[in-house]
Amino acid sequence: MLLICAILTIFFALILKYLTRSFFHPSVIVGLAWGITLLLYLVVEHPLWRLSPEFLNVFTFWVIPFMVVSYTVSYHPNHIAYSTNNLSYNSKLFNILFPYVVILSILLIVLLIHYSGGVGENLRTFMLEKNKYPLIIRILIAINTFTIIYSLYALLHYDKVGKKRVILLITLLILISFLKSAKGAIFRIFIGIVFILYRRQSINKSKLILSTIILVILLILVTVFRNDSTAQQDDAFIKYLYIYILSPITALDLLINQEVNPIIGTNGSASFPFLFTVLNIFGLDYTFTENPGWVTVPVFTNAYTAIWGFYSDFNWVGVFIFSIIMGWVWGIVYRLQQAGNQIALLFYSATCFSLIFQAFGDFFIESFSIDIQMLIYCIILSNGVKISPTNKNSNFPQLKIFK
């Protein structure tokens, strides 16, 4: 039954691809990502445990409503012919920020190496101890979030920005992500670049193949650099695939069948960790539900897919309801960017990678504070910022957004 479900999900996603004319539609991404992952789990030889029948219910309650709702919300009776010709480009703002972005990115690279005492094991150990980061490192890492949006904005307008500056920005981003051993950041950058080039109609098969080869090489290097549990073995990369692609499904199945249990906190905190963090800042004392941590499936994993929080808080009903909500949100964002809204385009390019990796983990809700920051940066770069007096009789400045 699971095999039939996987095949039907892929088939449904391909139908939606035909209707939307895009592999980047959220319904197509989610359908193919989950369907292909489940199909690989069932047909490829691997050491992971067999899935239980109960997994099918949760899988269906998440994937199908998401696909239907995201497509329905984004539907337009006449296909929108997307163009980047009319997108706004603020050369003055970009040129003012460019030297600061480059200098601060280089400074982050230098300081990461300096404070860790060098690359290799020292740097890896340093990056794992986030609570011990010097203040300057924390500030520069926060600024790096802006650099991601800034670089995607530059790529979107590369004919005005200049290819050399775009290449410099992206190179610095990749180098920082490599030093941080941040595979998620590398995926975010790669998928964002591909999406922007796709929207600019500037990508072809050769460029996509070359980019994919570079991505795979980077991921292998990061795996070895991090000294992951399988990195020292002959079949390291295959086991890497078990851990980072297939094993979260096994871990979720264990959670569904209560063979492992989350660390229980305030109800709802697994689904909305950002909200409860904000509430605690204002003096409340909520605790957080956490996933069970490292488990053996039989390889070690601590990832439980993007569904685990909703299931832990509200069981399968929560999975169904939040699938509808998330499908609605992503459908709206997709339709806005398709219609030419530059803010939505930049935001979608920076966050749509989270849709591809839902079967691995949650890169959207759990990092919601970063998503909000990115949305603000998208607004600033798209509309510009200026400081002016509130009125003629006031000396206090007012921040205004302008076109």
Side-chain angles (χ1 to χ4, degrees):
M1 191 62 184
L2 281 172
L3 182 61
I4 295 175
C5 182
I7 295 173
L8 289 178
T9 300
I10 295 172
F11 181 69
F12 185 27
L14 292 176
I15 292 176
L16 292 176
K17 189 275 171 185
Y18 172 78
L19 295 175
T20 60
R21 306 180 193 178
S22 174
F23 276 109
F24 279 99
H25 193 282
S27 64
V28 179
I29 292 176
V30 169
L32 289 179
W34 279 98
I36 292 174
T37 302
L38 181 57
L39 182 64
L40 288 174
Y41 195 103
L42 298 172
V43 302
V44 174
E45 184 178 352
H46 58 73
L48 302 172
W49 296 329
R50 180 176 297 181
L51 298 175
S52 68
E54 287 75 13
F55 178 84
L56 177 62
N57 296 330
V58 175
F59 176 91
T60 305
F61 282 129
W62 176 261
V63 178
I64 301 304
F66 187 104
M67 295 172 69
V68 172
V69 172
S70 60
Y71 171 73
T72 303
V73 169
S74 67
Y75 174 75
H76 194 279
N78 299 312
H79 179 70
I80 299 173
Y82 183 83
S83 172
T84 58
N85 295 331
N86 297 321
L87 295 178
S88 61
Y89 170 65
N90 191 325
S91 60
K92 183 177 181 180
L93 177 62
F94 183 88
N95 291 332
I96 290 173
L97 292 174
F98 181 77
Y100 296 102
V101 171
V102 171
I103 291 171
L104 291 175
S105 296
I106 295 175
L107 181 61
L108 176 57
I109 293 171
V110 172
L111 290 180
L112 283 176
I113 297 174
H114 169 73
Y115 279 106
S116 64
V119 296
E121 184 66 25
N122 289 338
L123 180 57
R124 176 180 176 271
T125 302
F126 174 77
M127 294 308 304
L128 291 174
E129 299 175 345
K130 295 183 179 181
N131 294 331
K132 297 181 180 180
Y133 288 174
L135 179 60
I136 183 64
I137 294 292
R138 296 182 185 183
I139 293 173
L140 291 174
I141 289 178
I143 293 174
N144 186 245
T145 302
F146 171 78
T147 305
I148 294 173
I149 301 298
Y150 183 81
S151 300
L152 293 175
Y153 177 81
L155 181 63
L156 183 62
H157 299 283
Y158 70 82
D159 51 339
K160 303 181 182 72
V161 170
K163 291 184 179 180
K164 290 183 179 179
R165 291 203 287 182
V166 173
I167 292 173
L168 175 60
L169 290 169
I170 292 175
T171 301
L172 290 172
L173 272 182
I174 293 175
L175 183 54
I176 290 171
S177 299
F178 177 78
L179 291 176
K180 292 166 58 182
S181 299
K183 288 188 282 287
I186 292 175
F187 278 122
R188 184 193 295 273
I189 295 165
F190 174 80
I191 305 280
I193 290 172
V194 172
F195 179 74
I196 293 292
L197 292 177
Y198 167 77
R199 280 309 192 190
R200 290 221 45 159
Q201 299 180 341
S202 301
I203 194 167
N204 52 42
K205 290 183 179 179
S206 60
K207 288 182 180 179
L208 184 59
I209 293 173
L210 177 61
S211 300
T212 303
I213 292 173
I214 294 173
L215 174 65
V216 172
I217 293 173
L218 282 172
L219 292 176
I220 294 175
L221 289 174
V222 169
T223 304
V224 175
F225 183 69
R226 287 180 54 164
N227 192 27
D228 283 348
S229 59
T230 62
Q232 304 301 319
Q233 302 173 22
D234 294 336
D235 55 351
F237 191 66
I238 298 299
K239 290 189 176 181
Y240 171 89
L241 293 179
Y242 295 155
I243 294 173
Y244 289 99
I245 296 180
L246 300 180
S247 64
I249 290 182
T250 321
L252 177 65
D253 190 45
L254 294 180
L255 185 68
I256 292 171
N257 289 278
Q258 298 181 340
E259 295 182 41
V260 295
N261 295 294
I263 302 171
I264 301 299
T266 304
N267 195 36
S269 61
S271 303
F272 307 104
F274 172 72
L275 174 61
F276 285 87
T277 299
V278 172
L279 292 175
N280 283 348
I281 291 175
F282 289 96
L284 300 175
D285 189 25
Y286 292 113
T287 57
F288 292 87
T289 298
E290 301 176 10
N291 71 40
W294 290 96
V295 293
T296 304
V297 293
V299 299
F300 286 109
T301 184
N302 65 343
Y304 292 79
T305 80
I307 299 177
W308 83 270
F310 303 129
Y311 185 84
S312 296
D313 284 334
F314 310 110
N315 211 282
W316 66 266
V317 176
V319 172
F320 177 75
I321 292 175
F322 285 105
S323 173
I324 293 174
I325 294 173
M326 295 299 290
W328 181 83
V329 170
W330 283 104
I332 290 293
V333 175
Y334 185 85
R335 179 166 180 171
L336 287 173
Q337 67 83 27
Q338 188 184 32
N341 184 299
Q342 183 169 262
I343 296 171
L345 190 156
L346 289 171
F347 184 74
Y348 193 81
S349 68
T351 56
C352 68
F353 88 104
S354 64
L355 296 173
I356 299 175
F357 296 102
Q358 281 188 356
F360 169 73
D362 184 6
F363 292 95
F364 188 71
I365 296 296
E366 289 187 2
S367 60
F368 199 61
S369 61
I370 295 178
D371 299 330
I372 293 176
Q373 292 175 48
M374 288 188 167
L375 179 59
I376 293 172
Y377 299 148
C378 293
I379 295 171
I380 292 173
L381 287 173
S382 296
N383 293 331
V385 176
K386 71 177 180 179
I387 297 178
S388 62
T390 53
N391 56 61
K392 295 181 179 179
N393 300 321
S394 173
N395 293 322
F396 292 96
Q398 180 184 28
L399 186 67
K400 291 185 177 180
I401 303 295
F402 69 97
K403 197 71 176 174

